[in-house]
Amino acid sequence: MHLEKYLNPEQKKAAETLEGPVLILAGAGSGKTRTITYRIANLLEQNVSPWNILAITFTNKAAGEMRERVDRLVGFGADSIWVATFHSTCVRILRRHADLLGYDQSFSIYDADDQKTLMKNICKEMNIDTKKLKEKTILNTISSNKDELVSPEEYDRMVGSDPIEKKIAEAYHIYQKQLKSNNAMDFDDLIVNTVRLFQKHPEVLASYQERFRYIHVDEYQDTNTAQFELVRLLADRYRNLCVVGDDDQSIYRFRGANIHNILDFEKNYPEATVIKLEQNYRSTQNILNAANAVIANNQGRKDKSLWTDKGEGHKVHFRLLSSQKEEAEFIAEDIARKIRKREAQYKDCAVLYRTNAQSRELEERFLYDNMPYQIVGGQNFYGRKEIKDCLAYLKTIANGNDDLMVRRIINVPKRGIGNTSVDKAAVYAANNEISLFDALAHADRIPGLGKTAQKMIEFAEMVERIRSRMEDAEYYDDLPELLDDVLNESGYLEDLRVSNDEEDADRIGNLDELISKAAVYEEKYAQENPEIETGPTLTDFLNEVSLVADIDNVSEENDRVLLMTLHAAKGLEFDHVYIAGMEDGLFPGDGSIFGGPEEMEEERRLAYVGMTRAKEELTLTAAGYRVMRGQAVNNPVSQFVREIPEEFLEGNLPRYRSFEDDFSGSGRYFDDDGYGRIGRRTDSIGRSAGSTAFCGTSGIGISRPKAPTPRRDVKPEDKPYAAIKSLGALKKGSALTAGTTDYGVGDRVRHIKFGEGVVKNMENRDGATYVTVEFDTAGVRVLSAAFAKLQKL
DNA sequence: GAAGGCGGTCTTTTT
DNA sequence: GACCGCCTTC
């Protein structure tokens, strides 16, 4: 392989150093994925079996991209390379050996929501006043312990006499016990339990060490201690461990990432080859210089300096707007301008922000302007109530020991089974050492239930019915059908259908989308596992949906602006990047400003990550007036903006560079290309901004700004948000409305379960199409067109 | 057992 | 301003 044709000398060295530990310090945009891809291709060329290669990435999306690129490069064999995230890697291993840890292979995976519910119950049991000691606090402590591989017993020994800590330690014990009895693991457990598995069962570890002779870890700066230990164990035999990372891009300290894993790699692996990739292929010089200047304020970094041979490019744009509304408007208009001038397509643009809450203002504006966009994160699809409910049904079917899920759905939809009765059943279950579900199935044996007992039994029978049907070979393969059954037989769908609540129509759409996702997953599974004939199991599907990140669902194919947090943007790049809310108090947030230098440095790395996403143009914006947590604030311009030397900046940056400087001026204007057109507006905003920009910090108060004067006759806020939102929903088009119904009234159709029949009526209600079918044998039924998937005959 | 209303409390960032 | 938990009422 002529690596020198495709790689620079450092990259080439990285791709050629195949044996022993390798640390690749890959600066932003330095072509690390490219390098790793070629390294893997090179391994294959040296006759290393793809079966022996492991690559761990941060997101499924990154994993998919890496696999695809290797595939393209080597043509074949890439399928057998194990490319996955930490969490999905662990799930795959754990499912195979769950019994060794006392788990069943169909264990549930709990997300943050589930964890909180569980902890809430525990606090109730322990009589913990959750006003004094919040569930979240307990869970955070438990999580940090797990990140550091500290077991409940070890934590016992670590806590002193502090009564709160002692309570947490006790809660940790109970929490783990309940997870186990529910046959469930939280995210952290996936890593911790895999490490424990390896520690307790050397023969299992040995088999994986033999298999994974060449290990790659991407985004190594974001690994925590547990993940470090996992990798260390796996690599311990062959020591062919190649880690790639950038200490300047470590932004997950809050979830246990230990920056010393990368800083001290050479201490842990003294024989390591260290390679620095310092040439940036992504950004123009101005952008890079600005980012370098900001990150230079951090102490204790690995010494490196990024350079580029790209031209100077545009200066970094900065705009101080008077309010968050004006900020959103500016960004939307600026993107529209670039589209008009054919400088960009929507998909070349991304808007980044520090907190998810900021997305709303932007979204409203984008909807108002009819600009295509996609928000990554925020209210996760899988976090929605109806989706969680549906998944809780599925988890109950897959894992009857999961009391938490049973509790969630036992009375959804309403079955007249209240909390008091469920508690009675739970007590009975505990006394008889059976699961809650089994107790419900035999509710007639539980004293004091009255009529409720029968309702419980009916519920249990309904679940049993679906479960046993699923275990038929025929059904096992058909996830969409299974979901369809669950939604129909549980009465969940009917409940939404008869509801007058507008939101419930959306919910039906979301459930429809979940079914589509199940179908897509089946297809994907069949492609990825051609050797397996049976298709994915329900547990496979549940694992998959538990481990998807929001970013995984972003496809390049759609032409739309992406909106996401700075964290979500890591690893991505765009021609045009906007970072909104560059204000002290928001970014960096108050927590970081007052949280000490370490916090501040992490925040600065986040700024660095954000800025280095930009290839061509980087635009930073701030609002002099904004509503945070329902409170009006006047934030000063972010210190990160002030850390950028003037020569790389353009815009209406206020004249002062620090609070000691002159802050009475109306702001200075730099001139650059393209912005002349909005001079008039900038001017007026500039003036008002000039008087509002410095309130709120250092006691140098200048008068509170007046409410910004509306510049248009119609502003987005004139329309109720919900109306705009549904407009957006329509535009996006749910599968329900967009679904192709090639049949009409009078046509003969076939339903997968009810057989053949004649369409009697079709009507649109709440944005969904309902079809009335007179079946030959199953009678007259009203079906949702999207769900029923009727086939025209 | 269900539904609606009131008041308190927060918010980073996520696999 | 949103969510959650607790309370009251039917």
Side-chain angles (χ1 to χ4, degrees):
Chain A
M1 186 173 288
H2 299 288
L3 292 172
E4 63 279 359
K5 266 208 278 200
Y6 313 102
L7 304 176
N8 71 32
E10 287 75 31
Q11 291 175 331
K12 179 168 175 277
K13 188 177 174 201
E16 279 175 343
T17 313
L18 304 178
E19 307 291 323
V22 181
L23 167 62
I24 304 175
L25 285 168
S30 62
K32 85 184 165 178
T33 310
R34 182 183 185 78
T35 305
I36 292 298
T37 308
Y38 276 93
R39 188 176 197 270
I40 291 175
N42 198 22
L43 278 168
L44 295 176
E45 195 166 278
Q46 306 299 314
N47 284 324
V48 170
S49 161
W51 178 257
N52 291 136
I53 301 173
L54 168 69
I56 297 179
T57 59
F58 203 66
T59 62
N60 295 300
K61 185 171 190 270
E65 275 165 17
M66 182 165 295
R67 186 186 293 283
E68 201 179 298
R69 287 173 72 164
V70 174
D71 224 359
R72 235 182 294 150
L73 206 54
V74 300
F76 65 96
D79 303 355
S80 329
I81 302 174
W82 185 312
V83 191
T85 64
F86 266 106
H87 294 270
S88 53
T89 297
C90 289
V91 168
R92 275 162 83 175
I93 294 173
L94 285 171
R95 285 245 274 138
R96 212 167 289 169
H97 309 281
D99 54 321
L100 293 176
L101 294 169
Y103 274 88
D104 183 275
Q105 63 103 29
S106 61
F107 60 83
S108 305
I109 300 170
Y110 282 2
D111 64 14
D113 240 46
D114 303 330
Q115 289 177 278
K116 203 173 164 203
T117 313
L118 184 59
M119 188 50 72
K120 215 176 277 180
N121 297 342
I122 293 172
C123 287
K124 215 177 270 173
E125 270 175 47
M126 289 178 62
N127 279 323
I128 290 176
D129 180 1
T130 50
K131 279 192 185 112
K132 279 200 208 128
L133 177 57
K134 278 163 291 181
E135 298 96 334
K136 198 81 182 289
T137 314
I138 304 174
L139 285 167
N140 282 341
T141 309
I142 291 177
S143 179
S144 316
N145 277 321
K146 290 182 178 178
D147 288 342
E148 296 292 323
L149 289 171
V150 175
S151 69
E153 292 76 22
E154 284 168 297
Y155 187 57
D156 279 343
R157 272 175 257 133
M158 285 163 60
V159 301
S161 53
D162 182 87
I164 303 240
E165 283 189 345
K166 280 181 144 171
K167 275 272 178 220
I168 296 178
E170 195 186 338
Y172 187 9
H173 277 279
I174 300 178
Y175 176 74
Q176 286 310 113
K177 211 180 105 207
Q178 298 210 355
L179 279 174
K180 184 109 176 235
S181 84
N182 284 353
N183 193 27
M185 300 189 196
D186 64 22
F187 278 115
D188 300 318
D189 283 337
L190 298 176
I191 314 289
V192 174
N193 285 338
T194 309
V195 172
R196 301 277 183 241
L197 172 76
F198 288 161
Q199 288 170 337
K200 277 192 218 154
H201 300 275
E203 74 288 357
V204 176
L205 173 61
S207 72
Y208 285 100
Q209 286 176 335
E210 279 305 320
R211 164 147 192 193
F212 300 134
R213 294 187 194 192
Y214 295 88
I215 299 174
H216 304 80
V217 184
D218 193 12
E219 308 281 11
Y220 191 67
Q221 75 281 354
D222 287 321
T223 53
N224 62 33
T225 301
Q227 289 163 331
F228 169 84
E229 184 60 14
L230 180 73
V231 170
R232 191 192 67 76
L233 285 167
L234 279 174
D236 208 32
R237 184 172 164 82
Y238 287 94
R239 296 180 84 78
N240 296 324
L241 172 62
C242 173
V243 304
V244 193
D246 178 4
D247 50 308
D248 286 335
Q249 294 186 63
S250 168
I251 55 173
Y252 282 108
R253 206 169 78 102
F254 71 93
R255 88 177 178 204
N258 185 348
I259 197 169
H260 291 288
N261 289 348
I262 193 163
L263 293 178
D264 298 342
F265 188 81
E266 295 151 89
K267 273 187 213 154
N268 292 310
Y269 296 92
E271 76 272 35
T273 309
V274 181
I275 298 161
K276 287 185 191 174
L277 306 183
E278 294 178 305
Q279 180 173 3
N280 173 296
Y281 293 94
R282 182 184 294 154
S283 311
T284 61
Q285 246 163 47
N286 275 319
I287 293 171
L288 206 55
N289 288 344
N292 279 338
V294 171
I295 198 66
N297 291 286
N298 275 7
Q299 312 288 316
R301 313 162 46 219
K302 288 252 178 190
D303 178 52
K304 66 178 112 52
S305 58
L306 279 186
W307 59 279
T308 177
D309 60 10
K310 276 195 167 188
E312 275 188 12
H314 297 269
K315 289 187 174 180
V316 174
H317 310 295
F318 174 80
R319 289 294 179 280
L320 173 60
L321 292 308
S322 62
S323 71
Q324 54 195 350
K325 271 197 171 37
E326 305 267 358
E327 183 185 42
E329 182 180 359
F330 166 76
I331 291 173
E333 279 188 14
D334 201 52
I335 293 173
R337 175 182 63 82
K338 288 177 181 171
I339 305 283
R340 266 199 313 276
K341 288 177 69 181
R342 304 197 185 278
E343 288 172 11
Q345 289 180 280
Y346 292 115
K347 66 177 170 188
D348 303 326
C349 305
V351 187
L352 313 181
Y353 37 77
R354 179 66 240 264
T355 64
N356 280 306
Q358 290 167 260
S359 68
R360 185 166 175 157
E361 197 74 52
L362 292 158
E363 177 172 29
E364 283 187 29
R365 187 71 218 184
F366 276 61
L367 280 169
Y368 177 73
D369 284 347
N370 223 358
M371 201 180 285
Y373 70 94
Q374 181 183 355
I375 295 182
V376 179
Q379 170 64 300
N380 183 313
F381 176 79
Y382 292 101
R384 292 179 185 177
K385 181 186 176 301
E386 63 276 16
I387 302 300
K388 292 216 71 174
D389 287 341
C390 181
L391 292 175
Y393 272 100
L394 295 175
K395 286 183 187 177
T396 301
I397 289 166
N399 172 17
N401 291 324
D402 199 337
D403 295 357
L404 197 70
M405 295 304 137
V406 174
R407 269 185 184 269
R408 183 184 177 103
I409 54 168
I410 176 92
N411 205 27
V412 183
K414 303 265 179 290
R415 299 187 173 88
I417 307 173
N419 246 330
T420 333
S421 306
V422 178
D423 284 342
K424 279 181 197 159
V427 169
Y428 178 86
N431 289 339
N432 291 278
E433 295 186 330
I434 57 174
S435 70
L436 177 59
F437 183 81
D438 288 341
L440 297 175
H442 305 291
D444 49 335
R445 297 179 199 161
I446 306 172
L449 279 182
K451 276 182 239 157
T452 315
Q454 189 50 37
K455 294 173 185 163
M456 287 179 171
I457 291 172
E458 278 165 25
F459 167 78
E461 280 173 353
M462 183 266 298
V463 173
E464 265 311 333
R465 201 162 54 235
I466 301 174
R467 184 184 290 155
S468 60
R469 208 185 302 145
M470 179 190 80
E471 282 163 1
D472 279 4
E474 207 185 323
Y475 255 86
Y476 212 53
D477 279 3
D478 196 341
L479 291 173
E481 187 67 15
L482 175 65
L483 265 72
D484 191 68
D485 281 358
V486 164
L487 292 171
N488 279 307
E489 296 186 29
S490 63
Y492 197 91
L493 195 57
E494 189 55 28
D495 199 56
L496 294 179
R497 221 176 258 156
V498 299
S499 154
N500 294 321
D501 193 339
E502 238 180 85
E503 233 181 294
D504 286 336
D506 287 351
R507 295 213 157 107
I508 296 180
N510 289 333
L511 289 168
D512 180 45
E513 203 177 321
L514 181 66
I515 293 180
S516 311
K517 281 178 193 290
V520 169
Y521 173 67
E522 273 191 347
E523 230 162 273
K524 192 184 103 183
Y525 185 91
Q527 263 174 30
E528 286 176 4
N529 305 281
E531 74 285 0
I532 304 175
E533 283 175 17
T534 49
T537 63
L538 176 56
T539 309
D540 287 329
F541 177 62
L542 290 173
N543 282 342
E544 164 92 1
V545 301
S546 301
L547 298 177
V548 287
D550 297 297
I551 197 72
D552 297 338
N553 293 315
V554 173
S555 141
E556 312 275 299
E557 279 158 40
N558 307 328
D559 188 26
R560 76 274 167 271
V561 181
L562 277 179
L563 280 64
M564 69 188 109
T565 62
L566 289 150
H567 282 87
K570 193 165 70 138
L572 308 178
E573 57 177 30
F574 304 92
D575 287 346
H576 303 270
V577 169
Y578 296 79
I579 305 181
M582 295 295 299
E583 300 149 32
D584 282 342
L586 180 59
F587 185 37
D590 277 331
S592 321
I593 295 173
F594 302 110
E598 296 231 315
E599 300 278 329
M600 198 60 213
E601 295 209 345
E602 169 122 338
E603 202 81 349
R604 191 175 282 110
R605 289 193 291 269
L606 191 56
Y608 177 75
V609 167
M611 294 171 75
T612 52
R613 299 309 95 195
K615 292 158 86 172
E616 301 293 332
E617 287 192 66
L618 172 63
T619 306
L620 310 175
T621 62
Y625 162 85
R626 139 177 349 261
V627 180
M628 283 169 75
R629 277 196 234 147
Q631 283 232 300
V633 291
N634 303 115
N635 290 325
V637 171
S638 169
Q639 68 177 81
F640 299 146
V641 175
R642 289 182 268 125
E643 285 168 5
I644 303 172
E646 280 174 26
E647 50 190 309
F648 309 132
L649 263 183
E650 167 288 316
N652 62 346
L653 191 73
R655 183 178 318 168
Y656 57 88
R657 298 241 109 203
S658 70
F659 293 112
E660 290 74 40
D661 289 352
D662 172 11
F663 41 83
S664 61
S666 61
R668 178 186 47 192
Y669 291 77
F670 302 90
D671 260 327
D672 192 45
D673 50 284
Y675 283 94
R677 68 184 67 256
I678 58 166
R680 182 171 42 86
R681 201 180 83 199
T682 322
D683 217 54
S684 70
I685 291 170
R687 213 176 302 125
S688 79
S691 65
T692 65
F694 313 114
C695 312
T697 306
S698 314
I700 310 172
I702 297 182
S703 66
R704 226 187 132 283
K706 293 173 195 81
T709 33
R711 285 185 43 256
R712 288 185 187 243
D713 297 327
V714 190
K715 300 286 280 181
E717 65 268 33
D718 291 345
K719 290 189 195 175
Y721 180 66
I724 300 178
K725 208 173 149 186
S726 66
L727 194 140
L730 272 180
K731 205 171 53 192
K732 274 179 268 170
S734 76
L736 276 181
T737 47
T740 45
T741 49
D742 57 351
Y743 47 81
V745 175
D747 283 342
R748 273 192 80 75
V749 291
R750 180 186 293 129
H751 184 268
I752 191 150
K753 242 185 12 243
F754 302 136
E756 295 185 14
V758 179
V759 176
K760 288 287 168 192
N761 186 35
M762 291 179 70
E763 70 175 315
N764 285 305
R765 224 166 48 224
D766 310 326
T769 305
Y770 294 93
V771 190
T772 310
V773 185
E774 190 179 319
F775 289 100
D776 299 347
T777 51
V780 177
R781 291 181 186 258
V782 182
L783 306 159
S784 159
F787 281 101
K789 289 181 233 84
L790 293 168
Q791 204 183 349
K792 188 182 172 186
L793 296 172

